[in-house]
Amino acid sequence: MYKIPFLDLPPLRAAAGTVRLPGSKSISNRVLLLAGLSEGTTAVHDLLDSDDTAVMLTALRTLGCVIEQQSKGVLRVTGVGAKLGTQAAKLFLGNAGTAMRPLTAALALLTATQGGDFELSGVPRMHERPIGDLVDALRALGCEIACLGNEGYPPLKLTGPSALKLDAPVKVRGDVSSQFLTALLMALPLVAERDITIEVIGELISKPYIQITLTLLERFGIQVRREGWERFVIPAGSRYRSPGDVHVEGDASSASYFVALGAIAAVDRPLRIEGVGSESMQGDVRFVEAAQQMGAEVKAGPNWLEVRRGAWPLKGITLDCNHIPDAAMTLAVMALYADGPTTLTNIASWRVKETDRLAAMAIELRKLGATVEEGPDWLRVEPLQAWQPASIHTYDDHRVAMCFSLAAFNGLVTEHPVPVRIEDPACVAKTFPEYFETLFDLVSASVSDIPVLTIDGPTASGKGTLADEVAHKLGYAVLDSGALYRAAGLAASRAGVDLDDGNAVATIARAMDLRFAQGRVFLAGEDISDELRLETSGQNASRVAAHPPVRRALNQLQLDFRRAPGLVADGRDMGTDVFPDAQLKVFLTASAATRAERRHKQLISKGISANIESLRADLEARDARDKTRSASPLHPAQDALMLDNSAQTIEQSVDLVLDWWQKRRPFAEQR
């Protein structure tokens, strides 16, 4: 996951491959709570690992549930059987509506019947999300609930015992959030000594999410009688029982980004999505129908979808989105690639989500240059031709971040493609922590569009450390070119190849699966950093470097490191020979005395005796050789920025390079 302030997406051109979806957030947290309230132990398979499920699991443990992580991703939940394991607790639920709403209802009823004192709170945005309609319904039942901040909003305080009034129908509004009804449906079986009726006031929005709730209740032993979408009856004597095993479907809302990706960019090969399909219980799987209306070609199986581009440009549509409220956000970005305006209606629920999503989408679409009209419950988006580079504010909202990643494909509709910056990319942890890594595995870009930053310099100047830190801050890959020949020698030696056979070594070199991270070198996932520092590795590197086929193979390998979202490459000729078109070239220097002192400290810390004067003399001799060698002599590129770090900390050098980089990006003036 990219835990960085922002992630810059270069213009992307195509998509293909297979994605396995993470578990559904809606199903995951429902299953966890139902398992926690049940008698017996439930084995939960394919559970979503995210911020929202993490806060639910923490809350369940606090309330007395036993949670055990098993092998192969199975989580065993032993429930409390509707008996509180503690009588007082403070539960922090982040920004997880799928935890706050149902836990409020369940704890309010259990506190009323068993006594207790509980506080439920979240992040500041959660305290802005209305819960008054649910609180009113629970108070009408006799539950004692106090709003500790603003009336009708969390944080909440639940106290008891108190007498419940279950003889009259429980009334709840259905036109603000379906989670209020879901919360009551999941909580009321805990006190169903008699039939309990829930009556919905107003039109019920997001009916497919209620159907998910009803389906899962049935799996846990509760047979709710539904009379249209206005009345729901929970039978007397209802009691939660574990079904033993529960499998969580892939997240259909998350599938929408990849369905859209296929519709926009899967031209030569389809994009396959595994985890949802024609038999999914989630209403958001119907996003496929909307994508097909816009021109996508879709094939479906019970648990998979295959999507590719059909009509191009996409077709502008007008759609009532009540049935796909979360997934519909993706349509707003797809609309930028359409042949006419797209109007999304019946989306008032967007305003009470993780942020006011209706306002947020309008604001961020306009940053890209789009013409957008916004109403109380609708959004109209015009196709976009003159794209502008935009820094997308994500409002700590995972869906905003994922939606706007699709804007990076603007090069498919404009002659002047632009990058797109996603602020706070880690917000996707709410439902899909590895979203951007997954995206980059599926997409391709023109090499010239992928940004490169080079850091060259003499031995022991600190260029490797600087490159690694800068790459980490930007979310880019890093290339330690100095390790390539050592890695090639090591890989060839391990394969039993004669190091004097240049063609054979080149074959091994071309196939190396190398990765650099946090100052370490990984070959096919194995950390080989320590082996590369051995004297024998240096000797082998010299032997293989003498072969022209090996040098050509490793040069190509260096070029192949240029992958989305970007690359930071360090070495002696990265800016001059390997990446002459790099957007920023840094030549790092330090006095021989400073470098010798740094090297001396390194060696001493490892228990290796060393003499500073000898180290300095060796470095000066190497500098002279590097500057005068016939192949790629060490010198700054003409357009390189010089950085003498003799008197600087690594942090100061990193900040300076990042400042230079920011000034070369097109987002510098955007706020």
Side-chain angles (χ1 to χ4, degrees), residues 21 249-252 255 273-282 284-286 288 298-306:
L21 295 171
E249 287 183 7
D251 186 55
I273 303 159
E274 297 181 347
V276 297
S278 56
E279 296 183 3
S280 172
M281 74 170 73
Q282 299 168 76
D284 271 356
V285 77
R286 290 186 62 193
V288 168
V298 183
K299 295 180 180 178
N303 197 41
W304 58 267
L305 302 167
E306 281 192 355

Side-chain angles (χ1 to χ4, degrees), residues 467-541:
D468 203 66
E469 289 295 322
V470 170
H472 176 72
K473 296 283 187 181
L474 295 174
Y476 288 177
V478 65
L479 166 60
D480 177 1
S481 65
L484 290 185
Y485 285 98
R486 287 175 175 257
L490 177 63
S493 180
R494 285 182 171 185
V497 170
D498 183 355
L499 299 188
D500 293 324
D501 185 343
N503 289 324
V505 176
T507 299
I508 296 294
R510 277 191 292 270
M512 286 194 301
D513 176 15
L514 276 180
R515 181 172 63 87
F516 305 94
Q518 298 179 330
R520 311 295 290 180
V521 184
F522 298 86
L523 177 63
E526 176 192 353
D527 189 341
I528 61 171
S529 307
D530 294 335
E531 281 191 77
L532 294 188
R533 296 190 181 101
L534 297 176
E535 184 177 351
T536 53
S537 294
Q539 294 170 349
N540 290 342

